[in-house]
mmCIF file of all heavy atoms in Angstrom:
data_model
loop_
_atom_site.group_PDB
_atom_site.id
_atom_site.type_symbol
_atom_site.label_atom_id
_atom_site.label_comp_id
_atom_site.label_asym_id
_atom_site.label_seq_id
_atom_site.Cartn_x
_atom_site.Cartn_y
_atom_site.Cartn_z
ATOM 1 N N ILE B 146 -90.732 -132.679 1.895
ATOM 2 C CA ILE B 146 -90.823 -131.283 1.609
ATOM 3 C C ILE B 146 -91.387 -130.433 2.631
ATOM 4 O O ILE B 146 -92.354 -130.805 3.309
ATOM 5 C CB ILE B 146 -91.695 -131.123 0.342
ATOM 6 C CG1 ILE B 146 -91.074 -131.885 -0.812
ATOM 7 C CG2 ILE B 146 -91.911 -129.608 0.007
ATOM 8 C CD1 ILE B 146 -91.940 -131.954 -1.975
ATOM 9 N N ASP B 385 -91.825 -130.553 -8.802
ATOM 10 C CA ASP B 385 -92.580 -129.690 -7.836
ATOM 11 C C ASP B 385 -91.599 -128.834 -6.928
ATOM 12 O O ASP B 385 -91.788 -127.689 -6.689
ATOM 13 C CB ASP B 385 -93.551 -130.514 -6.986
ATOM 14 C CG ASP B 385 -94.700 -131.062 -7.805
ATOM 15 O OD1 ASP B 385 -94.903 -130.507 -8.909
ATOM 16 O OD2 ASP B 385 -95.309 -132.061 -7.336
ATOM 17 N N ARG B 389 -91.355 -124.971 -6.965
ATOM 18 C CA ARG B 389 -91.623 -124.154 -5.761
ATOM 19 C C ARG B 389 -90.371 -123.343 -5.370
ATOM 20 O O ARG B 389 -90.411 -122.302 -4.760
ATOM 21 C CB ARG B 389 -92.000 -125.021 -4.597
ATOM 22 C CG ARG B 389 -93.455 -125.567 -4.817
ATOM 23 C CD ARG B 389 -93.688 -126.710 -3.876
ATOM 24 N NE ARG B 389 -93.813 -126.151 -2.499
ATOM 25 C CZ ARG B 389 -93.793 -126.962 -1.412
ATOM 26 N NH1 ARG B 389 -93.815 -128.250 -1.566
ATOM 27 N NH2 ARG B 389 -93.870 -126.505 -0.211
ATOM 28 N N ARG B 417 -96.960 -121.234 -11.093
ATOM 29 C CA ARG B 417 -97.125 -121.395 -9.645
ATOM 30 C C ARG B 417 -98.468 -122.016 -9.380
ATOM 31 O O ARG B 417 -98.518 -122.950 -8.532
ATOM 32 C CB ARG B 417 -97.218 -119.971 -9.025
ATOM 33 C CG ARG B 417 -95.884 -119.312 -8.959
ATOM 34 C CD ARG B 417 -95.590 -118.748 -7.680
ATOM 35 N NE ARG B 417 -94.181 -118.302 -7.596
ATOM 36 C CZ ARG B 417 -93.779 -117.070 -7.974
ATOM 37 N NH1 ARG B 417 -94.590 -116.188 -8.340
ATOM 38 N NH2 ARG B 417 -92.521 -116.756 -7.927
ATOM 39 N N GLU B 418 -99.434 -121.742 -10.110
ATOM 40 C CA GLU B 418 -100.772 -122.390 -9.802
ATOM 41 C C GLU B 418 -100.786 -123.871 -10.103
ATOM 42 O O GLU B 418 -101.272 -124.578 -9.293
ATOM 43 C CB GLU B 418 -101.784 -121.822 -10.951
ATOM 44 C CG GLU B 418 -102.962 -121.118 -10.285
ATOM 45 C CD GLU B 418 -103.764 -120.447 -11.254
ATOM 46 O OE1 GLU B 418 -104.373 -121.116 -12.195
ATOM 47 O OE2 GLU B 418 -103.821 -119.110 -11.301
ATOM 48 N N ALA B 419 -99.965 -124.247 -11.046
ATOM 49 C CA ALA B 419 -99.908 -125.627 -11.408
ATOM 50 C C ALA B 419 -99.241 -126.499 -10.244
ATOM 51 O O ALA B 419 -99.533 -127.645 -10.076
ATOM 52 C CB ALA B 419 -99.146 -125.893 -12.695
ATOM 53 N N HIS B 420 -98.456 -125.880 -9.481
ATOM 54 C CA HIS B 420 -97.622 -126.579 -8.536
ATOM 55 C C HIS B 420 -97.830 -126.288 -7.125
ATOM 56 O O HIS B 420 -97.427 -127.044 -6.176
ATOM 57 C CB HIS B 420 -96.134 -126.400 -8.870
ATOM 58 C CG HIS B 420 -95.786 -126.979 -10.200
ATOM 59 N ND1 HIS B 420 -95.735 -128.314 -10.469
ATOM 60 C CD2 HIS B 420 -95.394 -126.360 -11.302
ATOM 61 C CE1 HIS B 420 -95.407 -128.448 -11.699
ATOM 62 N NE2 HIS B 420 -95.123 -127.333 -12.246
ATOM 63 N N PHE B 421 -98.480 -125.185 -6.795
ATOM 64 C CA PHE B 421 -98.417 -124.747 -5.447
ATOM 65 C C PHE B 421 -99.524 -125.306 -4.597
ATOM 66 O O PHE B 421 -99.479 -125.020 -3.344
ATOM 67 C CB PHE B 421 -98.509 -123.192 -5.411
ATOM 68 C CG PHE B 421 -97.132 -122.555 -5.119
ATOM 69 C CD1 PHE B 421 -96.117 -122.967 -5.955
ATOM 70 C CD2 PHE B 421 -96.828 -121.725 -4.184
ATOM 71 C CE1 PHE B 421 -94.894 -122.490 -5.844
ATOM 72 C CE2 PHE B 421 -95.601 -121.207 -3.916
ATOM 73 C CZ PHE B 421 -94.576 -121.622 -4.781
ATOM 74 N N HIS B 422 -100.448 -125.975 -5.077
ATOM 75 C CA HIS B 422 -101.533 -126.497 -4.181
ATOM 76 C C HIS B 422 -101.198 -127.779 -3.608
ATOM 77 O O HIS B 422 -101.908 -128.319 -2.757
ATOM 78 C CB HIS B 422 -102.802 -126.717 -5.040
ATOM 79 C CG HIS B 422 -103.289 -125.382 -5.610
ATOM 80 N ND1 HIS B 422 -103.639 -124.303 -4.821
ATOM 81 C CD2 HIS B 422 -103.418 -124.975 -6.936
ATOM 82 C CE1 HIS B 422 -103.967 -123.339 -5.503
ATOM 83 N NE2 HIS B 422 -103.865 -123.593 -6.791
ATOM 84 N N GLU B 423 -100.080 -128.367 -3.883
ATOM 85 C CA GLU B 423 -99.756 -129.668 -3.382
ATOM 86 C C GLU B 423 -98.819 -129.658 -2.168
ATOM 87 O O GLU B 423 -97.771 -129.942 -2.173
ATOM 88 C CB GLU B 423 -99.088 -130.553 -4.467
ATOM 89 C CG GLU B 423 -99.967 -130.529 -5.761
ATOM 90 C CD GLU B 423 -99.139 -131.075 -6.942
ATOM 91 O OE1 GLU B 423 -99.127 -132.180 -7.166
ATOM 92 O OE2 GLU B 423 -98.550 -130.206 -7.670
ATOM 93 N N GLU B 424 -99.344 -129.126 -1.072
ATOM 94 C CA GLU B 424 -98.521 -128.984 0.172
ATOM 95 C C GLU B 424 -98.226 -130.307 0.814
ATOM 96 O O GLU B 424 -97.236 -130.462 1.492
ATOM 97 C CB GLU B 424 -99.218 -128.050 1.111
ATOM 98 C CG GLU B 424 -99.359 -126.590 0.608
ATOM 99 C CD GLU B 424 -97.988 -125.975 0.348
ATOM 100 O OE1 GLU B 424 -97.113 -126.235 1.095
ATOM 101 O OE2 GLU B 424 -97.899 -125.150 -0.563
ATOM 102 N N SER B 425 -99.035 -131.250 0.658
ATOM 103 C CA SER B 425 -98.950 -132.443 1.548
ATOM 104 C C SER B 425 -98.519 -133.669 0.697
ATOM 105 O O SER B 425 -98.708 -134.832 1.107
ATOM 106 C CB SER B 425 -100.206 -132.762 2.278
ATOM 107 O OG SER B 425 -101.282 -132.991 1.212
ATOM 108 N N ARG B 426 -97.848 -133.440 -0.478
ATOM 109 C CA ARG B 426 -97.452 -134.528 -1.276
ATOM 110 C C ARG B 426 -96.323 -135.248 -0.634
ATOM 111 O O ARG B 426 -95.544 -134.668 0.027
ATOM 112 C CB ARG B 426 -97.235 -134.109 -2.665
ATOM 113 C CG ARG B 426 -96.229 -132.945 -2.822
ATOM 114 C CD ARG B 426 -95.875 -132.593 -4.198
ATOM 115 N NE ARG B 426 -95.628 -133.809 -4.890
ATOM 116 C CZ ARG B 426 -94.481 -134.435 -4.820
ATOM 117 N NH1 ARG B 426 -93.587 -134.213 -3.924
ATOM 118 N NH2 ARG B 426 -94.174 -135.545 -5.575
ATOM 119 N N PRO B 427 -96.155 -136.622 -0.922
ATOM 120 C CA PRO B 427 -95.002 -137.351 -0.397
ATOM 121 C C PRO B 427 -93.697 -136.974 -1.083
ATOM 122 O O PRO B 427 -93.708 -136.275 -2.078
ATOM 123 C CB PRO B 427 -95.370 -138.744 -0.801
ATOM 124 C CG PRO B 427 -96.276 -138.732 -1.910
ATOM 125 C CD PRO B 427 -97.015 -137.383 -1.742
ATOM 126 N N HIS B 431 -89.658 -137.488 -8.191
ATOM 127 C CA HIS B 431 -90.135 -138.044 -9.514
ATOM 128 C C HIS B 431 -89.048 -137.936 -10.512
ATOM 129 O O HIS B 431 -88.342 -136.920 -10.581
ATOM 130 C CB HIS B 431 -91.300 -137.183 -10.009
ATOM 131 C CG HIS B 431 -92.546 -137.402 -9.175
ATOM 132 N ND1 HIS B 431 -93.747 -136.967 -9.527
ATOM 133 C CD2 HIS B 431 -92.710 -137.989 -7.952
ATOM 134 C CE1 HIS B 431 -94.643 -137.222 -8.626
ATOM 135 N NE2 HIS B 431 -94.071 -137.855 -7.634
#
Side-chain angles (χ1 to χ4, degrees):
Chain B
I146 296 171
D385 290 341
R389 290 168 66 191
R417 289 229 170 89
E418 240 170 64
H420 295 293
F421 260 51
H422 298 299
E423 307 164 87
E424 293 296 328
S425 58
R426 53 176 312 287
H431 291 192

